[in-house]
Amino acid sequence: MDIKYSVGIMSGTSLDGIDVALVKIKDSGINTKLDVVGFETIPFEEDLREEIKRSLSIEKSNVELICSLNFKLGYAFSNAVKVACNNFNFDLSKIDFIGSHGQTVYHIPKDTKELKKSTLQIGEPSIIAYEIGCQVVSNFRSMDMAAGGEGAPLVPFTEYILYRSSKNRVLQNIGGIGNATIIPQKCKLNDVFAFDTGPGNMIIDEVVYRLTGMPYDKGGQLSLKGKIIEPMLKDLMEHEYILRCPPKSTGREVFGSQFVDKILKQYSSECKEDIICTVTMFTAKSIEYNYRNFIMPRMKIDEVIIGGGGSYNKTLLNMIRECMPECKVLTQEDLGFSSDSKEAIAFAILANETLHGSFSNVLTATGAKEYVILGNITPTPKKFN
Amino acid sequence: MDIKYSVGIMSGTSLDGIDVALVKIKDSGINTKLDVVGFETIPFEEDLREEIKRSLSIEKSNVELICSLNFKLGYAFSNAVKVACNNFNFDLSKIDFIGSHGQTVYHIPKDTKELKKSTLQIGEPSIIAYEIGCQVVSNFRSMDMAAGGEGAPLVPFTEYILYRSSKNRVLQNIGGIGNATIIPQKCKLNDVFAFDTGPGNMIIDEVVYRLTGMPYDKGGQLSLKGKIIEPMLKDLMEHEYILRCPPKSTGREVFGSQFVDKILKQYSSECKEDIICTVTMFTAKSIEYNYRNFIMPRMKIDEVIIGGGGSYNKTLLNMIRECMPECKVLTQEDLGFSSDSKEAIAFAILANETLHGSFSNVLTATGAKEYVILGNITPTPKKFN
């Protein structure tokens, strides 16, 4: 079986930057052999970050912005791959394929009277394929939605491949949104399940930015100085999404800036650190609530492995430990993995499955009716002249 | 070489409905053998048509609408294929592949200070692939833009394959927009050139709708009753787009409802039929201007072959004949083809090229720097369970 070089590109709801993972990959499915060659996050230029934020807003977005931004992000992703591969000292022409998640700008998990269940990831794959000169797999979420799923989460497949073990594990990613993948000991793919637990860093980051001008609560130092505002926490914990049974998925349209507008208005008399502390505890408690109600009735949890930017927030990590003293709470780094690179690596693996003609959705995670091949393939735009 | 059944789906800027062509196709490139098995236009439901119109407007569109509409159109296209194949008495499971143009909702032909050169066609291919159960090629325009082209027009490739002859021919399509493909006698692909001449029916239809409530000027009967408002025609003919040298492409953002707002305001005192007559002559004269300035200096035109909805507007056809008495002006039907089905057939042919790993952009038409494989391939979402 040939060894291929693949690049995974991820740009999450937290809008930190573009994650680029270069991996060496062999075979597919449960036989996948993976080596991470390099990983780098290329920050968004401020103008582009602001444009993405506008594109997420119903009030500020329009068709012209989305048309243009789709291509701009294609160039930004291409550029990120060029910069990263240069830093890895790796020749672009050796890349066999790219898996690009794209930037999610909207996600409608269920049909409503006016709207169709749908999802929108942008970052034009033709631009990436042309600029880098290789085939690109992208738009992974739509086919799962076509098959009746919510199109998210998709990492459970790669987590199953990388983390199955003799323990009952929960992988808790804390990006903009929090999501949990449950990998029971020695399980089959069908036994894996996953769902979004609610907010990850999204509310914390936005609150910190509005109250202090800083982009996030570095190391959890701000929340450490505050105390819990109990009525506010109680109020937050009654959010419909937290209480809802999985399968479920969510995004910025639920816990984004409009949500933060509301809570900052309601609790405007409280001190900054207390508000930051309370929304941090909300993330911890929402994770606990989901575990106690939707996981622990089925199995004992041996290990919780925290990944994503939230794993660097020590206050948040300690809050999660306090909430669930009976579980061992580890970080990806404790296991020798990297929190930052996990999702970018996932999309290199998912692209590999698509190019092998294999499915990679997990029915218990997305709620899809059947296994399907995810994504569109943009061919290498061969040079003919 | 295997015979394949392919479906081409087209939904043009005129928003009439979804064109579905079922073809039998063999081989590729200049050796392509094509038989049209069936053709049908499935009208848009009124609600969906209104939603598409909203999605075209900078003021009325937003990210939520576009996210939802992309999937809604995926279902509408799938449904159109199901209805058409049922009418053709053709089993869906025998379709080998689909080429779907999608609905263009925006097109930015050149970089501006704020905006990236880009194009946006929607109608989620994963939905079509899942609902019909075959692979889908879509998003044809982006790769040509990645290669420096305008992403339009794309029909010249298929017109070259279907219409090359011993005569100097110009194929004039009159859909929402007018476009011309020039196929000199016994030419090579490199000798074909093409560009958008300006408005097709777009202004006529919108003016007729606003002034009479009817969707278009059936057979040209309204314009036949009017006379030319000379200052208005002169004014229209000074439009920057008409005068500009090819390669060039345009769309609803230039000649859409905002354009019509302006002219109806300016000429509000004129009678309805005269306004309709004048905008009809504008389409004819803009075609003539482009021919005399950008084609005839290079070659004598033997035949002008008119296609698209505009070929059914007899007044428009007569105006074109009057403008260019030295050319033979024919319709697609005069040659045994069908105006209505031409573009849908084109996307079945273009999908076939992509699946053969062949380029299908015409550099002289789009202005691209090099030949590239167009489109993304959404694999057949095999059933695994």
Side-chain angles (χ1 to χ4, degrees), chain A residues 51 54-59 61-72 75 105-108 113-120 124-127 129-131 138-139 141-143 145-148 354 356-359 363 369-385, chain B residues 51 54-59 61-72 75 105-108 113-120 124-127 129-131 138-139 141-143 145-148 354 356-359 363 369-385:
Chain A
E51 222 172 282
R54 272 206 288 142
S55 81
L56 306 172
S57 147
I58 294 182
E59 288 73 28
S61 60
N62 63 53
V63 65
E64 183 179 68
L65 173 69
I66 291 166
C67 180
S68 171
L69 185 58
N70 179 41
F71 275 60
K72 276 192 190 174
Y75 286 106
V105 291
Y106 218 75
H107 188 77
I108 303 170
K113 190 159 166 276
E114 298 287 326
L115 301 169
K116 198 80 201 160
K117 187 177 98 163
S118 53
T119 191
L120 186 59
E124 180 52 46
S126 298
I127 300 295
Y130 185 80
E131 290 293 316
S138 62
N139 195 22
R141 301 194 186 276
S142 301
M143 188 59 88
M145 291 188 104
T354 300
H356 276 85
S358 305
F359 70 86
L363 308 190
K369 293 188 305 258
E370 54 188 342
Y371 293 115
V372 281
I373 302 175
L374 302 180
N376 316 132
I377 301 164
T378 304
T380 309
K382 285 180 204 163
K383 312 284 154 77
F384 297 87
N385 26 1
Chain B
E51 222 173 281
R54 272 206 288 142
S55 81
L56 306 172
S57 148
I58 295 183
E59 289 73 28
S61 59
N62 64 53
V63 65
E64 183 178 70
L65 173 68
I66 292 165
C67 180
S68 170
L69 185 58
N70 178 41
F71 274 61
K72 274 191 191 175
Y75 286 105
V105 291
Y106 217 74
H107 188 77
I108 303 171
K113 191 159 166 275
E114 299 285 326
L115 301 170
K116 197 82 203 157
K117 187 178 100 163
S118 52
T119 190
L120 187 58
E124 181 51 46
S126 298
I127 300 294
Y130 186 81
E131 291 293 317
S138 60
N139 196 20
R141 301 194 186 275
S142 301
M143 187 60 87
M145 291 189 104
T354 299
H356 276 84
S358 305
F359 70 87
L363 309 190
K369 294 188 304 261
E370 55 189 342
Y371 293 116
V372 281
I373 303 174
L374 302 180
N376 316 131
I377 301 165
T378 303
T380 309
K382 286 180 202 164
K383 310 283 154 77
F384 296 88
N385 25 4

Side-chain angles (χ1 to χ4, degrees), chain B residues 74-257:
Chain B
Y75 286 105
F77 294 159
S78 307
N79 187 54
V81 173
K82 288 176 187 172
V83 170
C85 285
N86 185 54
N87 292 352
F88 307 150
N89 217 349
F90 187 83
D91 187 353
L92 287 181
S93 68
K94 284 162 64 189
I95 300 174
D96 292 295
F97 61 89
I98 290 175
S100 175
H101 174 267
Q103 178 69 49
T104 296
V105 291
Y106 217 74
H107 188 77
I108 303 171
K110 300 256 180 259
D111 282 352
T112 70
K113 191 159 166 275
E114 299 285 326
L115 301 170
K116 197 82 203 157
K117 187 178 100 163
S118 52
T119 190
L120 187 58
Q121 282 76 42
I122 62 173
E124 181 51 46
S126 298
I127 300 294
I128 306 171
Y130 186 81
E131 291 293 317
I132 308 299
C134 72
Q135 59 189 331
V136 174
V137 187
S138 60
N139 196 20
F140 290 90
R141 301 194 186 275
S142 301
M143 187 60 87
D144 180 77
M145 291 189 104
E150 293 209 5
L154 295 182
V155 284
F157 183 88
T158 59
E159 292 177 325
Y160 167 71
I161 284 177
L162 299 174
Y163 294 88
R164 69 193 184 287
S165 73
S166 57
K167 291 171 187 154
N168 285 327
R169 284 177 158 174
V170 178
L171 303 182
Q172 178 67 45
N173 191 63
I174 307 179
I177 290 298
N179 59 69
T181 302
I182 297 87
I183 305 177
Q185 54 185 353
K186 294 171 194 164
C187 68
K188 298 234 169 77
L189 184 60
N190 264 332
D191 304 320
V192 173
F193 67 106
F195 57 90
D196 288 351
T197 49
N201 304 313
M202 189 175 281
I203 300 175
I204 305 171
D205 288 356
E206 184 73 19
V207 165
V208 166
Y209 180 72
R210 303 257 197 117
L211 297 180
T212 72
M214 284 187 280
Y216 63 102
D217 181 11
K218 197 173 175 186
Q221 291 176 343
L222 292 168
S223 49
L224 189 63
K225 292 180 199 155
K227 59 181 194 304
I228 306 292
I229 307 160
E230 290 296 344
M232 180 179 171
L233 182 62
K234 186 165 173 289
D235 191 23
L236 290 170
M237 284 301 294
E238 280 164 7
H239 192 287
E240 178 278 331
Y241 183 82
I242 309 301
L243 308 180
R244 197 197 311 163
C245 239
K248 59 182 179 178
S249 63
T250 189
R252 198 171 277 273
E253 60 283 1
V254 177
F255 295 112
S257 63

Side-chain angles (χ1 to χ4, degrees), chain A residues 156 158-165 167-171 181-187 191-193 299:
Chain A
T158 61
E159 291 177 327
Y160 167 71
I161 285 177
L162 299 175
Y163 293 89
R164 68 194 184 286
S165 73
K167 288 169 188 156
N168 284 328
R169 285 176 157 174
V170 178
L171 303 182
T181 303
I182 296 89
I183 305 177
Q185 53 184 354
K186 295 169 193 165
C187 68
D191 304 320
V192 174
F193 66 105
M299 72 171 210

Side-chain angles (χ1 to χ4, degrees), chain A residues 12 47 54-55 59 159 206 229 240 306-307 324 326 364:
Chain A
D47 283 2
R54 272 206 288 142
S55 81
E59 288 73 28
E159 291 177 327
E206 184 74 18
I229 306 159
E240 178 278 335
I306 311 276
M324 290 176 291
E326 68 271 50
T364 43

Side-chain angles (χ1 to χ4, degrees), chain B residues 165-359:
Chain B
S165 73
S166 57
K167 291 171 187 154
N168 285 327
R169 284 177 158 174
V170 178
L171 303 182
Q172 178 67 45
N173 191 63
I174 307 179
I177 290 298
N179 59 69
T181 302
I182 297 87
I183 305 177
Q185 54 185 353
K186 294 171 194 164
C187 68
K188 298 234 169 77
L189 184 60
N190 264 332
D191 304 320
V192 173
F193 67 106
F195 57 90
D196 288 351
T197 49
N201 304 313
M202 189 175 281
I203 300 175
I204 305 171
D205 288 356
E206 184 73 19
V207 165
V208 166
Y209 180 72
R210 303 257 197 117
L211 297 180
T212 72
M214 284 187 280
Y216 63 102
D217 181 11
K218 197 173 175 186
Q221 291 176 343
L222 292 168
S223 49
L224 189 63
K225 292 180 199 155
K227 59 181 194 304
I228 306 292
I229 307 160
E230 290 296 344
M232 180 179 171
L233 182 62
K234 186 165 173 289
D235 191 23
L236 290 170
M237 284 301 294
E238 280 164 7
H239 192 287
E240 178 278 331
Y241 183 82
I242 309 301
L243 308 180
R244 197 197 311 163
C245 239
K248 59 182 179 178
S249 63
T250 189
R252 198 171 277 273
E253 60 283 1
V254 177
F255 295 112
S257 63
Q258 285 168 331
F259 185 84
V260 170
D261 286 345
K262 214 185 95 206
I263 56 176
L264 286 187
K265 201 175 155 191
Q266 198 177 343
Y267 296 96
S268 57
S269 62
E270 302 287 345
C271 99
K272 290 176 190 184
E273 285 78 7
D274 290 355
I275 294 174
I276 297 167
C277 179
T278 305
V279 296
T280 304
M281 184 58 99
F282 176 41
T283 290
K285 280 272 178 201
S286 64
I287 291 169
E288 183 199 359
Y289 183 91
N290 277 284
Y291 284 17
R292 296 210 183 278
N293 287 279
F294 310 125
I295 304 174
M296 290 175 173
R298 298 203 228 177
M299 70 172 214
K300 176 175 166 286
I301 300 176
D302 297 316
E303 287 182 359
V304 178
I305 303 160
I306 311 276
S311 67
Y312 304 124
N313 182 329
K314 283 183 192 152
T315 308
L316 176 58
L317 216 60
N318 285 333
M319 285 171 172
I320 295 170
R321 286 194 173 109
E322 272 169 39
C323 289
M324 291 176 291
E326 69 270 50
C327 309
K328 193 168 178 185
V329 177
L330 304 167
T331 63
Q332 290 282 349
E333 282 73 8
D334 293 332
L335 269 81
F337 286 98
S338 152
S339 272
D340 294 332
S341 62
K342 200 182 95 172
E343 292 208 73
I345 291 169
F347 286 94
I349 297 173
L350 292 174
N352 186 52
E353 294 301 317
T354 299
L355 294 171
H356 276 84
S358 305
F359 70 87

Side-chain angles (χ1 to χ4, degrees), chain A residues 94-313:
Chain A
K94 284 162 64 187
I95 300 174
D96 293 294
F97 61 89
I98 290 175
S100 175
H101 174 266
Q103 178 70 49
T104 296
V105 291
Y106 218 75
H107 188 77
I108 303 170
K110 301 253 179 264
D111 282 353
T112 69
K113 190 159 166 276
E114 298 287 326
L115 301 169
K116 198 80 201 160
K117 187 177 98 163
S118 53
T119 191
L120 186 59
Q121 283 77 43
I122 62 173
E124 180 52 46
S126 298
I127 300 295
I128 307 172
Y130 185 80
E131 290 293 316
I132 308 298
C134 72
Q135 59 188 331
V136 174
V137 187
S138 62
N139 195 22
F140 290 90
R141 301 194 186 276
S142 301
M143 188 59 88
D144 180 78
M145 291 188 104
E150 292 209 6
L154 296 181
V155 284
F157 182 87
T158 61
E159 291 177 327
Y160 167 71
I161 285 177
L162 299 175
Y163 293 89
R164 68 194 184 286
S165 73
S166 58
K167 288 169 188 156
N168 284 328
R169 285 176 157 174
V170 178
L171 303 182
Q172 177 68 44
N173 192 66
I174 307 179
I177 289 299
N179 58 68
T181 303
I182 296 89
I183 305 177
Q185 53 184 354
K186 295 169 193 165
C187 68
K188 298 233 169 76
L189 184 61
N190 264 331
D191 304 320
V192 174
F193 66 105
F195 57 91
D196 288 351
T197 51
N201 304 312
M202 188 175 280
I203 300 174
I204 305 171
D205 288 355
E206 184 74 18
V207 165
V208 165
Y209 179 73
R210 303 255 197 119
L211 298 180
T212 74
M214 286 187 279
Y216 63 101
D217 183 10
K218 196 173 176 187
Q221 291 175 344
L222 291 168
S223 49
L224 189 63
K225 291 181 197 152
K227 58 182 196 303
I228 306 294
I229 306 159
E230 289 296 345
M232 180 178 169
L233 182 61
K234 185 165 174 291
D235 191 22
L236 291 170
M237 285 299 295
E238 281 165 4
H239 192 287
E240 178 278 335
Y241 183 82
I242 310 302
L243 307 180
R244 197 199 309 163
C245 240
K248 58 181 180 178
S249 64
T250 187
R252 198 171 278 273
E253 60 282 4
V254 177
F255 295 112
S257 63
Q258 286 168 329
F259 185 83
V260 170
D261 286 345
K262 214 185 96 205
I263 58 176
L264 286 185
K265 200 174 158 196
Q266 198 176 345
Y267 297 96
S268 56
S269 62
E270 303 287 346
C271 99
K272 290 176 188 182
E273 287 78 7
D274 291 355
I275 293 175
I276 297 167
C277 179
T278 304
V279 295
T280 305
M281 184 58 100
F282 176 41
T283 292
K285 281 272 178 198
S286 65
I287 292 170
E288 183 200 358
Y289 182 91
N290 277 284
Y291 285 18
R292 295 209 185 279
N293 287 279
F294 309 126
I295 305 175
M296 291 177 172
R298 298 203 228 175
M299 72 171 210
K300 179 175 163 284
I301 299 175
D302 297 317
E303 288 182 359
V304 177
I305 303 162
I306 311 276
S311 67
Y312 305 124
N313 183 329

